[in-house]
Amino acid sequence: MVEFLDNLIRALGMAGVLLLGLAAMLEYLVPPFPGDTITLLGGVYAVRGSHPWPLVFLVVTAGSVAGAAINYWFGTWLARRFEAKPDASFLGLTHARLATVQAKMRRGGPWLLLANRFLPGIRGVIFIAAGAARMPRSNALFLGALSAMAHNALVLSVGRAVGGNLERLEGLMARYQLAVVVLVVIGVLAVLIRTLARRRSPAT
């Protein structure tokens, strides 16, 4: 997988930088997309001299912000839809559930936005919730950009440390993806346990 992506991006030359940005954007829109793997390759290219490190950093950060902006727009659209038809449901989401999400985002939203890029699988949902909660768009995207810059600087630095060794990069990504799966499973279990505890509490 890593070798295929490496060959593809190198074959595109400087246009490959745009593919890095597209990958960063798709991570927000299609959570299973391996955008971090491609961003890591950006660090490798910087060491090889294929692409300037600052350019890769700017492009992947811009891609992240673009993906966040699309999700934010979808959130605002979702809120308008429920305002027009409050009794309807959409993709299993009800108006009451949306109101709960909005209240939570207004309380802890800024912290979630700052951490979003380090939360695989749900980073896109955070911006949908921010849009649905009508958080100021400029503030939401600014916090998202800060998070993306911190994350991308870290990932690109790791890619540079690996250098041109694709075997090391592949091993690193395997461990990273395993850690992501474990964290997501723990998060899902925590939510389920909390939900079950709340349902049982009135009866005790």
Side-chain angles (χ1 to χ4, degrees), residues 3 23 31 34-36 43 46 59 62 77 79 83 85 93 97 99 110 112 116 166-167 193 200:
E3 187 175 353
D36 283 336
V59 169
W77 174 85
E83 287 170 2
K85 298 179 179 179
L93 182 67
R97 179 59 181 160
L112 284 172
N116 85 89
L166 291 183
E167 288 184 6
I193 291 170
R200 291 181 180 178

mmCIF file of all heavy atoms in Angstrom, residues 3 23 31 34-36 43 46 59 62 77 79 83 85 93 97 99 110 112 116 166-167 193 200:
data_model
loop_
_atom_site.group_PDB
_atom_site.id
_atom_site.type_symbol
_atom_site.label_atom_id
_atom_site.label_comp_id
_atom_site.label_asym_id
_atom_site.label_seq_id
_atom_site.Cartn_x
_atom_site.Cartn_y
_atom_site.Cartn_z
ATOM 1 N N GLU A 3 4.045 1.495 -0.712
ATOM 2 C CA GLU A 3 4.885 1.537 -1.916
ATOM 3 C C GLU A 3 4.084 2.007 -3.125
ATOM 4 O O GLU A 3 4.574 2.792 -3.946
ATOM 5 C CB GLU A 3 5.477 0.153 -2.181
ATOM 6 C CG GLU A 3 6.496 0.151 -3.303
ATOM 7 C CD GLU A 3 7.176 -1.206 -3.471
ATOM 8 O OE1 GLU A 3 6.940 -2.099 -2.632
ATOM 9 O OE2 GLU A 3 7.924 -1.351 -4.450
ATOM 10 N N ALA A 23 -5.731 14.315 -0.057
ATOM 11 C CA ALA A 23 -5.810 13.246 0.937
ATOM 12 C C ALA A 23 -6.165 13.807 2.307
ATOM 13 O O ALA A 23 -6.981 13.227 3.035
ATOM 14 C CB ALA A 23 -4.480 12.496 0.998
ATOM 15 N N PRO A 31 -13.789 9.160 6.707
ATOM 16 C CA PRO A 31 -12.895 8.828 7.826
ATOM 17 C C PRO A 31 -11.952 7.647 7.617
ATOM 18 O O PRO A 31 -10.799 7.702 8.058
ATOM 19 C CB PRO A 31 -13.876 8.560 8.977
ATOM 20 C CG PRO A 31 -15.062 9.403 8.636
ATOM 21 C CD PRO A 31 -15.178 9.384 7.136
ATOM 22 N N PRO A 34 -6.875 6.689 4.245
ATOM 23 C CA PRO A 34 -5.561 6.695 4.922
ATOM 24 C C PRO A 34 -4.772 7.985 4.687
ATOM 25 O O PRO A 34 -3.647 7.967 4.188
ATOM 26 C CB PRO A 34 -4.858 5.488 4.289
ATOM 27 C CG PRO A 34 -5.408 5.434 2.899
ATOM 28 C CD PRO A 34 -6.858 5.868 3.019
ATOM 29 N N GLY A 35 -5.335 9.107 5.055
ATOM 30 C CA GLY A 35 -4.678 10.393 4.811
ATOM 31 C C GLY A 35 -3.388 10.568 5.584
ATOM 32 O O GLY A 35 -2.429 11.174 5.090
ATOM 33 N N ASP A 36 -3.337 10.032 6.816
ATOM 34 C CA ASP A 36 -2.116 10.170 7.617
ATOM 35 C C ASP A 36 -0.941 9.457 6.964
ATOM 36 O O ASP A 36 0.206 9.912 7.058
ATOM 37 C CB ASP A 36 -2.340 9.629 9.028
ATOM 38 C CG ASP A 36 -3.131 10.595 9.888
ATOM 39 O OD1 ASP A 36 -3.103 11.799 9.584
ATOM 40 O OD2 ASP A 36 -3.774 10.152 10.851
ATOM 41 N N GLY A 43 6.614 13.869 4.459
ATOM 42 C CA GLY A 43 7.854 14.054 5.203
ATOM 43 C C GLY A 43 9.011 13.318 4.569
ATOM 44 O O GLY A 43 10.151 13.806 4.551
ATOM 45 N N ALA A 46 10.256 15.268 1.645
ATOM 46 C CA ALA A 46 11.040 16.431 2.058
ATOM 47 C C ALA A 46 12.499 16.036 2.270
ATOM 48 O O ALA A 46 13.422 16.786 1.908
ATOM 49 C CB ALA A 46 10.460 17.025 3.345
ATOM 50 N N VAL A 59 0.192 22.805 2.052
ATOM 51 C CA VAL A 59 -0.831 22.144 1.233
ATOM 52 C C VAL A 59 -1.678 21.189 2.073
ATOM 53 O O VAL A 59 -2.914 21.174 1.959
ATOM 54 C CB VAL A 59 -0.182 21.397 0.047
ATOM 55 C CG1 VAL A 59 -1.192 20.505 -0.651
ATOM 56 C CG2 VAL A 59 0.393 22.399 -0.951
ATOM 57 N N ALA A 62 -3.947 23.218 4.316
ATOM 58 C CA ALA A 62 -5.055 23.786 3.544
ATOM 59 C C ALA A 62 -6.092 22.711 3.229
ATOM 60 O O ALA A 62 -7.304 22.961 3.288
ATOM 61 C CB ALA A 62 -4.531 24.410 2.258
ATOM 62 N N TRP A 77 -26.332 23.178 7.220
ATOM 63 C CA TRP A 77 -27.453 22.720 6.386
ATOM 64 C C TRP A 77 -28.372 21.806 7.188
ATOM 65 O O TRP A 77 -29.592 21.897 7.108
ATOM 66 C CB TRP A 77 -26.921 21.984 5.155
ATOM 67 C CG TRP A 77 -28.007 21.352 4.325
ATOM 68 C CD1 TRP A 77 -28.759 21.948 3.357
ATOM 69 C CD2 TRP A 77 -28.480 19.998 4.428
ATOM 70 N NE1 TRP A 77 -29.672 21.053 2.844
ATOM 71 C CE2 TRP A 77 -29.522 19.856 3.478
ATOM 72 C CE3 TRP A 77 -28.117 18.908 5.219
ATOM 73 C CZ2 TRP A 77 -30.199 18.655 3.304
ATOM 74 C CZ3 TRP A 77 -28.803 17.707 5.054
ATOM 75 C CH2 TRP A 77 -29.825 17.591 4.101
ATOM 76 N N ALA A 79 -28.824 21.789 10.439
ATOM 77 C CA ALA A 79 -29.577 22.582 11.412
ATOM 78 C C ALA A 79 -30.758 23.280 10.737
ATOM 79 O O ALA A 79 -31.876 23.309 11.288
ATOM 80 C CB ALA A 79 -28.657 23.605 12.073
ATOM 81 N N GLU A 83 -34.795 22.920 11.473
ATOM 82 C CA GLU A 83 -35.592 24.104 11.788
ATOM 83 C C GLU A 83 -36.823 24.176 10.897
ATOM 84 O O GLU A 83 -37.897 24.593 11.335
ATOM 85 C CB GLU A 83 -34.742 25.364 11.614
ATOM 86 C CG GLU A 83 -33.699 25.541 12.728
ATOM 87 C CD GLU A 83 -32.709 26.646 12.414
ATOM 88 O OE1 GLU A 83 -32.851 27.293 11.356
ATOM 89 O OE2 GLU A 83 -31.777 26.856 13.218
ATOM 90 N N LYS A 85 -38.259 21.484 9.406
ATOM 91 C CA LYS A 85 -39.116 20.328 9.689
ATOM 92 C C LYS A 85 -38.686 19.702 11.016
ATOM 93 O O LYS A 85 -38.032 18.656 11.045
ATOM 94 C CB LYS A 85 -39.015 19.303 8.555
ATOM 95 C CG LYS A 85 -39.493 19.827 7.209
ATOM 96 C CD LYS A 85 -39.344 18.761 6.135
ATOM 97 C CE LYS A 85 -39.832 19.270 4.783
ATOM 98 N NZ LYS A 85 -39.670 18.231 3.722
ATOM 99 N N LEU A 93 -31.173 10.762 12.995
ATOM 100 C CA LEU A 93 -30.999 11.895 13.919
ATOM 101 C C LEU A 93 -32.311 12.647 14.056
ATOM 102 O O LEU A 93 -32.950 12.992 13.066
ATOM 103 C CB LEU A 93 -29.910 12.835 13.385
ATOM 104 C CG LEU A 93 -29.546 14.047 14.244
ATOM 105 C CD1 LEU A 93 -28.882 13.589 15.540
ATOM 106 C CD2 LEU A 93 -28.611 14.973 13.482
ATOM 107 N N ARG A 97 -32.255 15.136 19.539
ATOM 108 C CA ARG A 97 -30.860 14.698 19.608
ATOM 109 C C ARG A 97 -29.931 15.802 19.107
ATOM 110 O O ARG A 97 -28.862 16.039 19.674
ATOM 111 C CB ARG A 97 -30.678 13.437 18.765
ATOM 112 C CG ARG A 97 -29.255 12.898 18.734
ATOM 113 C CD ARG A 97 -28.745 12.558 20.111
ATOM 114 N NE ARG A 97 -27.385 12.078 20.088
ATOM 115 C CZ ARG A 97 -26.566 12.060 21.123
ATOM 116 N NH1 ARG A 97 -27.005 12.487 22.304
ATOM 117 N NH2 ARG A 97 -25.348 11.595 21.024
ATOM 118 N N ALA A 99 -30.506 18.976 19.296
ATOM 119 C CA ALA A 99 -30.457 20.015 20.328
ATOM 120 C C ALA A 99 -29.461 19.646 21.428
ATOM 121 O O ALA A 99 -28.744 20.509 21.950
ATOM 122 C CB ALA A 99 -31.845 20.212 20.920
ATOM 123 N N PRO A 110 -14.971 24.497 21.618
ATOM 124 C CA PRO A 110 -13.630 25.007 21.290
ATOM 125 C C PRO A 110 -12.513 24.015 21.594
ATOM 126 O O PRO A 110 -11.555 23.894 20.813
ATOM 127 C CB PRO A 110 -13.517 26.261 22.168
ATOM 128 C CG PRO A 110 -14.933 26.730 22.326
ATOM 129 C CD PRO A 110 -15.742 25.473 22.411
ATOM 130 N N LEU A 112 -12.803 20.718 21.681
ATOM 131 C CA LEU A 112 -12.897 19.634 20.707
ATOM 132 C C LEU A 112 -12.321 20.055 19.356
ATOM 133 O O LEU A 112 -11.636 19.259 18.695
ATOM 134 C CB LEU A 112 -14.357 19.208 20.534
ATOM 135 C CG LEU A 112 -14.965 18.356 21.642
ATOM 136 C CD1 LEU A 112 -16.457 18.188 21.421
ATOM 137 C CD2 LEU A 112 -14.275 16.998 21.707
ATOM 138 N N ASN A 116 -9.335 18.252 17.405
ATOM 139 C CA ASN A 116 -9.998 17.425 16.398
ATOM 140 C C ASN A 116 -9.042 16.628 15.525
ATOM 141 O O ASN A 116 -9.294 15.481 15.199
ATOM 142 C CB ASN A 116 -10.918 18.284 15.530
ATOM 143 C CG ASN A 116 -10.181 18.950 14.372
ATOM 144 O OD1 ASN A 116 -10.052 18.415 13.282
ATOM 145 N ND2 ASN A 116 -9.670 20.149 14.623
ATOM 146 N N LEU A 166 10.986 3.045 3.337
ATOM 147 C CA LEU A 166 9.561 2.752 3.254
ATOM 148 C C LEU A 166 9.163 1.578 4.150
ATOM 149 O O LEU A 166 8.020 1.508 4.615
ATOM 150 C CB LEU A 166 9.155 2.453 1.808
ATOM 151 C CG LEU A 166 9.190 3.645 0.842
ATOM 152 C CD1 LEU A 166 8.702 3.209 -0.528
ATOM 153 C CD2 LEU A 166 8.337 4.796 1.361
ATOM 154 N N GLU A 167 10.084 0.654 4.394
ATOM 155 C CA GLU A 167 9.771 -0.478 5.269
ATOM 156 C C GLU A 167 9.511 0.018 6.699
ATOM 157 O O GLU A 167 8.573 -0.426 7.359
ATOM 158 C CB GLU A 167 10.905 -1.498 5.261
ATOM 159 C CG GLU A 167 11.009 -2.280 3.959
ATOM 160 C CD GLU A 167 12.072 -3.351 4.020
ATOM 161 O OE1 GLU A 167 12.636 -3.549 5.117
ATOM 162 O OE2 GLU A 167 12.319 -3.985 3.000
ATOM 163 N N ILE A 193 -21.106 2.190 27.794
ATOM 164 C CA ILE A 193 -21.196 2.001 29.240
ATOM 165 C C ILE A 193 -21.896 3.192 29.897
ATOM 166 O O ILE A 193 -22.744 3.034 30.777
ATOM 167 C CB ILE A 193 -19.793 1.790 29.838
ATOM 168 C CG1 ILE A 193 -19.231 0.445 29.386
ATOM 169 C CG2 ILE A 193 -19.838 1.862 31.366
ATOM 170 C CD1 ILE A 193 -17.769 0.237 29.720
ATOM 171 N N ARG A 200 -30.049 2.917 33.528
ATOM 172 C CA ARG A 200 -30.346 2.134 34.741
ATOM 173 C C ARG A 200 -30.485 2.985 35.979
ATOM 174 O O ARG A 200 -31.116 2.571 36.948
ATOM 175 C CB ARG A 200 -29.230 1.111 34.962
ATOM 176 C CG ARG A 200 -29.202 -0.009 33.927
ATOM 177 C CD ARG A 200 -28.092 -0.989 34.217
ATOM 178 N NE ARG A 200 -28.063 -2.054 33.239
ATOM 179 C CZ ARG A 200 -27.168 -3.041 33.233
ATOM 180 N NH1 ARG A 200 -26.253 -3.086 34.191
ATOM 181 N NH2 ARG A 200 -27.208 -3.986 32.315
#
